[in-house]
Amino acid sequence: MSRFFRQAGDSDSDTEESDEELLTSGDEKALPKPAAKPTGMSRFLRTAGSDSSSSESETESEEEIEPETKKKGRFLRSDSDDDEGEEDEDVKRVVKSSKDKRLEEIEGTGKVIDNALKINDWGAISAEFDKLLRLVQRQSNVAEPVPPFFIRTVINLEDSLNAALAKEREAKKKMNAVNARALNSMKQKVRKSTKEYEKEISQYQADPEAFVREYTLHSRPVETASAKATKKPKKFADGDNEEENSPAEDNFTTVGKGGKAMQFTADAIFKTLKIVHDARGKKNTDRGEQMRILEKLLEVAVTPYQRIRVLLALVSSRFDYNSSVTSYMPIDLWVAAEDEVDKLISIVAKDRAYSVQENTEDYDELLERSPETELNGVVRIRGSIISFVDRLDDEFTKSLQNIDPHGTEYVDRLKDEKVLYRTICRAQAFYESSLQPEPLARVIMRRLEHIYSKPDAVVSALESSLVTSEVSPSVTLATSSTTSSLIHSLCVHLYKADNSLLRTRAILSHIYHHALHNDFYTARDMLLMSHLQETIHSADVATQILYNRTVVQLGLCAFRCGLIKESQAMLQDIFATQRVKELLAQGVHQQRFQAQLTPEQERAERARQLPFHMHINTELLEAAFLVSSMLVEIPLLASIDSEEQKRKVISKPFRRLLDFADRQVFTGPPESTRDHIMQASKALQDGEWEKCRDLIQSIKIWSLMPESASVKEMLAKRIQEQGLRTYLFTYAPLYSTLSLSLLSRTFSLPLRTVTSIISKMIWNEELSASLDQSTGVIVFHRIELSRPQQLAQVIAEKVSNMVEHNEKALDVKLGSAIGWGDRGDTKGEKRGEQTQERRGRGDRTRGGLRGGTRGRGSRFAQGLGNQMAGHLSQRAR
């Protein structure tokens, strides 16, 4: 029977009795057979019963098994064979550590290089040397020293290489091209390795035995630690004096990479710092463990120098914990880092004998330093507090970008700004005392960015944190009477800085602050005198975003002050692009009609987004722009006769919305802000100024604007005035005379105001009429133009536009600065044409269209707002 069909009780050595039972059936008699040679059962089919066999069968088959066992495979061995084999394997098996394996592999690679040198095979030498460098790099990644064998190999290679190069120069027959290329490649590799391991090579050449001895001493702690670990279970197994051994076993020593013992004492602080510093940034480094080690070192630090060194390393390790660019630093780590930066600033601000600077002379980092041993009595430590402050501020902003702004977590996170602002001000105080101008300008810019766009109440709350601080800067809200004077003092300091970027951002922040406080004329003059509109297109993206925010805030300031034309001119350039949110860094790029962004560009754009609390309300911005456009466009539409002139618009977005509203068959009650403004525009065209006023004032978004009551009152007054102008433009052909008192009662305006408006229209040649003050009426003059006169006027207008375009082309050719809106793409050209036409046309006059000439009155009517339109006509990016 086959051995695979045996029962569980079968044994390897079968007896005669078992053979008879298997071969006998019925009444037949068993025939005696010679005993078969026992076959070894497979070790996988063996059961417990097969382990025991009778002593008789063992003695009988002993002689037969001995020759057969020599031929058995590993699967046909018996139990005794297995036991003997396992014992042999245990004797022969040698367990090697990963370090020993690496060293053996390094030595093996070195021997291959030696053999290749004998046959002058530089291709094999180059390949093996690359492998050797990888192995040594792996050795250094686990904080182990460079083995002496490698240094010896590099030295020998350099000598062999020089000999081979000298021989090649003298040889009559050159080596083949492949070997020559490998030789040149090895020349570069050996030179690079010699430079990289220059220190170790010089030490080895000076005293090879000392170098080897130092290497073996470094390797010893690993062996002793592993020996203790292997002996420890035996002690517990033997049970010998467990209580006596327990105190010794509890005294653990923290061991770093490579078996270097870390001692948390004041004397060993610098050695431990060096170990942590060497492991920083390497693969498989536990960053959390590094922070815990540095926290223990901070507890045992005694001198100010030790605490400064540990704090510099600890803050850096906290920032290293989160290496991702997209995600923000955990808040608990940020709070800990902020507290440690605060401690660092306190130490260096109180004790002037210690200074942290980015550029210092080289010094031994393993030695204690004190003011007595230093030049001028000042210990200069290499480090950068401003980089810590910048990183804290950036991580704070990044966390606000990633937190839901509509939840309580955002508000809780925003409370940390007060603590961060206090740290920034303390850093400013330190740099003022240590006379470091460059980092001082950077930290002042950080402080300015936290307060320039905030109301006075918020700035006062931030400044209140400096009351309890023992270190404070020279300029605070307490020393300055108002927030405007505080902003002015900070900006004036930045104007004197050497960094042009900081000066640009400072003046934009200053303009923004003036606009926020309704000081329009000061902000406008600063913007025009800075000439930023000519060079802003070459600035970085963050500065362009700040410029867009400043221009938009200036437009809102003009709107709040009742300067409708100026407001419309400044907001026009932003809204003409139809990318308001993107230009203000309040939304991502819309990819429906434009090219797709790469993932890197999309990540960079998301990283530039402003936190939610710094957003400018785009709905409020749109309401201000559309209302300003309504008050400018509706009187202009009423003053134009020909269709060709109607196609020339001032506000294209407003005209597009107005045309869409005119095409609607049914107009329901207004729901959105746009609906209110469009219906108000129709009412103003029809002369229903009261309906227009009610619709505009019923817009709910005005409640978000400061001093909303005064804004609504201003809008009502402007609607009355523009309603009067629209009425006169529309119905002047139907009157020969018109009473001033009737106009005063119709539009609820004082008679003096009505007279002033009409006189200005006559002076600007917008209205072909005269004012009879004795009778209190307007006398209209009818001037009918013939067809040739109309054509001549159109030709003159086109010639004027051509001259302006030629002047513009000449400016470009001569290298004059180009406005932002005058750049060379198609859309920019169209906007530039419309801007030039608007600039040249000004307010089209009814009388002028009927044959009147353009005089100084038309230019005067454009006012400062249209002058700004020329300066600020730029294409927003």
Side-chain angles (χ1 to χ4, degrees):
M1 187 179 181
S2 174
R3 57 191 178 95
F4 296 105
F5 294 93
R6 288 181 182 146
Q7 300 296 325
D10 293 343
S11 61
D12 292 339
S13 58
D14 297 336
T15 60
E16 294 179 3
E17 186 175 342
S18 61
D19 291 336
E20 289 176 1
E21 291 176 359
L22 291 171
L23 299 175
T24 308
S25 63
D27 297 331
E28 294 180 0
K29 295 181 181 180
L31 297 175
K33 278 192 174 185
K37 293 181 180 180
T39 58
M41 192 183 211
S42 176
R43 62 186 294 188
F44 296 103
L45 301 175
R46 204 184 302 129
T47 59
S50 63
D51 293 342
S52 61
S53 60
S54 61
S55 59
E56 295 178 0
S57 59
E58 287 177 355
T59 54
E60 289 173 0
S61 60
E62 188 174 5
E63 296 176 358
E64 299 175 2
I65 291 174
E66 286 180 2
E68 190 171 322
T69 52
K70 297 179 181 178
K71 301 178 182 179
K72 289 180 182 177
R74 58 179 298 189
F75 296 105
L76 301 178
R77 291 174 185 164
S78 63
D79 286 348
S80 59
D81 296 336
D82 293 337
D83 296 338
E84 290 173 4
E86 289 174 2
E87 289 177 2
D88 294 340
E89 289 177 3
D90 291 339
V91 173
K92 295 177 183 177
R93 185 181 301 144
V94 177
V95 179
K96 294 182 181 179
S97 65
S98 57
K99 178 182 177 182
D100 294 336
K101 291 179 181 178
R102 282 195 299 271
L103 291 176
E104 284 187 4
E105 196 170 357
I106 289 173
E107 292 177 0
T109 307
K111 290 178 181 178
V112 174
I113 292 175
D114 292 338
N115 294 332
L117 280 172
K118 295 176 182 177
I119 60 174
N120 203 27
D121 187 1
W122 291 100
I125 294 171
S126 178
E128 292 298 324
F129 188 70
D130 290 339
K131 180 181 177 183
L132 184 63
L133 289 177
R134 287 195 298 270
L135 293 171
V136 174
Q137 183 61 37
R138 196 183 307 166
Q139 188 92 340
S140 60
N141 287 343
V142 293
E144 292 181 0
V146 180
F149 180 81
F150 171 72
I151 301 298
R152 186 166 60 249
T153 303
V154 172
I155 294 173
N156 294 338
L157 266 176
E158 188 176 12
D159 297 338
S160 302
L161 190 66
N162 294 332
L165 290 172
K167 186 178 179 181
E168 179 68 13
R169 292 192 200 99
E170 298 174 359
K172 295 181 180 179
K173 184 179 179 182
K174 304 295 182 181
M175 64 174 67
N176 60 50
V178 177
N179 211 20
R181 283 197 298 269
L183 179 63
N184 291 330
S185 175
M186 277 301 300
K187 180 181 176 182
Q188 302 297 330
K189 292 176 184 177
V190 171
R191 183 182 300 172
K192 182 179 178 183
S193 301
T194 305
K195 187 176 180 180
E196 184 177 357
Y197 298 100
E198 183 178 2
K199 182 179 177 182
E200 289 82 356
I201 291 173
S202 60
Q203 291 177 359
Y204 182 84
Q205 289 176 340
D207 192 352
E209 295 180 359
F211 188 83
V212 174
R213 191 161 51 253
E214 184 181 354
Y215 176 77
T216 54
L217 286 174
H218 179 275
S219 304
R220 189 170 297 171
V222 181
E223 298 172 1
T224 55
S226 60
K228 289 180 182 179
T230 54
K231 289 178 182 177
K232 191 178 294 183
K234 294 183 179 179
K235 290 181 181 179
F236 286 104
D238 296 337
D240 296 336
N241 300 328
E242 288 185 17
E243 296 180 357
E244 295 179 2
N245 294 332
S246 58
E249 292 165 357
D250 290 340
N251 292 330
F252 292 108
T253 301
T254 305
V255 178
K257 293 269 186 181
K260 295 181 181 180
M262 295 185 181
Q263 299 177 1
F264 300 113
T265 60
D267 298 333
I269 277 182
F270 300 121
K271 292 183 180 178
T272 309
L273 271 177
K274 189 175 186 305
I275 294 172
V276 173
H277 183 269
D278 292 342
R280 179 184 176 190
K282 292 184 178 178
K283 191 177 180 181
N284 300 327
T285 300
D286 188 353
R287 295 169 183 167
E289 182 63 27
Q290 279 195 323
M291 286 190 291
R292 287 189 287 272
I293 291 171
L294 292 171
E295 286 171 356
K296 292 179 182 178
L297 289 180
L298 184 60
E299 294 174 0
V300 300
V302 178
T303 64
Y305 178 72
Q306 291 177 350
R307 283 158 51 203
I308 291 172
R309 287 283 307 278
V310 174
L311 282 171
L312 287 171
L314 181 55
V315 175
S316 299
S317 67
R318 293 203 189 279
F319 288 140
D320 288 344
Y321 186 81
N322 180 36
S323 59
S324 175
V325 180
T326 54
S327 62
Y328 61 94
M329 185 178 180
I331 295 179
D332 54 344
L333 287 182
W334 185 92
V335 172
E338 193 278 331
D339 183 54
E340 285 147 7
V341 172
D342 217 10
K343 289 179 182 177
L344 179 61
I345 295 172
S346 298
I347 295 172
V348 295
K350 289 179 181 177
D351 196 345
R352 301 290 179 84
Y354 295 91
S355 179
V356 178
Q357 299 178 3
E358 294 183 7
N359 299 319
T360 61
E361 296 180 357
D362 292 338
Y363 55 87
D364 192 349
E365 296 183 349
L366 297 178
L367 298 178
E368 176 70 31
R369 300 169 67 197
S370 61
E372 292 78 12
T373 61
E374 297 296 324
L375 184 65
N376 300 329
V378 178
V379 180
R380 291 176 175 82
I381 306 162
R382 190 178 296 108
S384 179
I385 294 178
I386 182 60
S387 64
F388 291 160
V389 173
D390 289 343
R391 183 68 186 274
L392 280 174
D393 199 8
D394 292 340
E395 291 292 343
F396 177 75
T397 304
K398 196 184 296 184
S399 65
L400 290 175
Q401 290 173 346
N402 288 274
I403 296 175
D404 180 16
H406 305 292
T408 56
E409 186 182 359
Y410 188 89
V411 179
D412 295 337
R413 181 60 174 148
L414 202 56
K415 294 177 182 177
D416 293 331
E417 185 178 13
K418 190 174 183 180
V419 184
L420 176 61
Y421 183 77
R422 178 173 175 266
T423 301
I424 293 174
C425 292
R426 289 161 63 87
Q428 179 186 345
F430 162 68
Y431 284 120
E432 286 175 348
S433 61
S434 60
L435 302 178
Q436 300 182 43
E438 183 180 355
L440 176 60
R442 289 169 59 188
V443 78
I444 288 178
M445 190 67 240
R446 287 285 176 175
R447 182 183 180 188
L448 184 62
E449 287 176 348
H450 278 274
I451 59 176
Y452 81 92
S453 62
K454 291 182 172 58
D456 293 347
V458 180
V459 176
S460 301
L462 291 175
E463 287 284 330
S464 64
S465 62
L466 299 177
V467 177
T468 58
S469 176
E470 67 279 3
V471 180
S472 59
S474 59
V475 180
T476 60
L477 188 60
T479 58
S480 305
S481 57
T482 60
T483 56
S484 297
S485 60
L486 172 64
I487 299 289
H488 178 76
S489 301
L490 296 177
C491 290
V492 165
H493 186 279
L494 291 174
Y495 295 154
K496 300 175 183 178
D498 296 332
N499 193 331
S500 61
L501 175 62
L502 295 183
R503 292 199 302 269
T504 302
R505 294 187 67 85
I507 194 169
L508 288 174
S509 303
H510 205 173
I511 295 168
Y512 190 103
H513 184 76
H514 281 304
L516 194 65
H517 289 74
N518 294 335
D519 192 359
F520 171 76
Y521 293 104
T522 304
R524 182 204 61 185
D525 293 343
M526 288 179 66
L527 183 62
L528 292 179
M529 287 188 296
S530 66
H531 297 284
L532 286 176
Q533 60 272 15
E534 299 173 0
T535 59
I536 194 62
H537 61 273
S538 61
D540 62 302
V541 179
T543 306
Q544 290 186 20
I545 291 170
L546 179 58
Y547 176 83
N548 294 339
R549 285 169 52 82
T550 303
V551 170
V552 163
Q553 191 61 243
L554 194 58
L556 286 176
C557 173
F559 184 80
R560 291 193 296 267
C561 295
L563 305 171
I564 300 301
K565 289 184 180 179
E566 289 83 348
S567 174
Q568 194 276 336
M570 282 180 284
L571 297 179
Q572 165 73 21
D573 294 318
I574 296 290
F575 277 89
T577 62
Q578 300 182 0
R579 295 186 298 152
V580 179
K581 286 189 175 182
E582 182 190 350
L583 294 174
L584 298 178
Q586 298 177 188
V588 294
H589 182 75
Q590 297 292 333
Q591 300 181 2
R592 289 180 298 173
F593 307 111
Q594 301 192 15
Q596 295 288 328
L597 293 178
T598 63
E600 291 78 10
Q601 291 174 333
E602 189 172 356
R603 281 195 295 269
E605 188 171 356
R606 290 187 181 278
R608 287 193 292 264
Q609 300 302 302
L610 292 174
F612 183 76
H613 70 282
M614 295 181 66
H615 285 191
I616 298 173
N617 193 309
T618 53
E619 189 177 355
L620 178 64
L621 197 61
E622 185 183 34
F625 169 68
L626 291 179
V627 170
S628 300
S629 300
M630 177 191 75
L631 295 175
V632 172
E633 279 275 4
I634 297 302
L636 181 62
L637 282 172
S639 68
I640 291 176
D641 284 341
S642 65
E643 289 297 326
E644 182 182 356
Q645 291 165 348
K646 282 186 179 181
R647 287 197 293 269
K648 298 176 181 179
V649 296
I650 292 179
S651 177
K652 196 171 183 179
F654 175 81
R655 187 68 69 86
R656 189 186 305 115
L657 291 173
L658 189 62
D659 293 342
F660 179 77
D662 289 338
R663 290 195 300 269
Q664 298 297 316
V665 178
F666 172 76
T667 304
E671 297 179 358
S672 63
T673 302
R674 290 183 179 182
D675 292 344
H676 280 83
I677 296 173
M678 290 303 106
Q679 293 193 19
S681 301
K682 287 185 177 181
L684 189 61
Q685 280 181 318
D686 298 338
E688 300 176 358
W689 69 270
E690 293 178 339
K691 181 181 178 182
C692 174
R693 179 198 62 192
D694 295 340
L695 285 169
I696 294 297
Q697 290 185 344
S698 63
I699 299 175
K700 297 180 180 179
I701 198 66
W702 300 130
S703 60
L704 300 179
M705 184 172 284
E707 303 174 358
S708 58
S710 62
V711 170
K712 289 181 179 179
E713 184 179 351
M714 178 272 298
L715 287 175
K717 185 178 178 181
R718 293 293 180 270
I719 288 171
Q720 288 174 309
E721 294 174 356
Q722 298 304 322
L724 172 61
R725 285 168 50 84
T726 305
Y727 182 83
L728 290 174
F729 283 139
T730 305
Y731 298 107
L734 305 179
Y735 289 98
S736 59
T737 58
L738 187 59
S739 172
L740 294 176
S741 59
L742 176 63
L743 292 174
S744 176
R745 290 193 303 271
T746 303
F747 292 95
S748 300
L749 288 171
L751 183 61
R752 185 172 180 175
T753 304
V754 173
T755 306
S756 173
I757 293 172
I758 294 174
S759 300
K760 189 179 293 185
M761 293 174 67
I762 294 173
W763 173 257
N764 294 338
E765 299 177 357
E766 296 175 341
L767 193 63
S768 179
S770 59
L771 191 62
D772 188 354
Q773 291 185 340
S774 60
T775 57
V777 296
I778 312 171
V779 180
F780 294 99
H781 307 296
R782 297 182 181 276
I783 302 176
E784 297 294 338
L785 295 178
S786 63
R787 182 62 180 167
Q789 289 176 329
Q790 292 178 0
L791 293 175
Q793 188 174 8
V794 171
I795 292 173
E797 200 169 303
K798 289 184 177 180
V799 169
S800 176
N801 291 335
M802 188 182 301
V803 170
E804 290 179 358
H805 284 302
N806 288 339
E807 290 176 355
K808 173 185 168 184
L810 184 62
D811 289 342
V812 173
K813 187 175 181 180
L814 295 178
S816 141
I818 305 173
W820 206 5
D822 301 333
R823 296 181 67 190
D825 56 330
T826 307
K827 294 182 180 179
E829 289 176 0
K830 291 181 180 178
R831 281 196 297 272
E833 291 174 6
Q834 294 167 4
T835 304
Q836 295 292 340
E837 289 164 0
R838 183 171 73 250
R839 191 186 306 167
R841 182 174 68 246
D843 289 337
R844 293 293 180 190
T845 64
R846 191 174 185 86
L849 290 172
R850 295 184 177 180
T853 59
R854 296 175 59 190
R856 59 173 182 166
S858 61
R859 290 194 296 273
F860 176 78
Q862 295 173 15
L864 293 174
N866 284 336
Q867 291 178 25
M868 288 190 64
H871 288 288
L872 297 176
S873 174
Q874 303 158 355
R875 185 170 70 89
R877 289 162 53 104

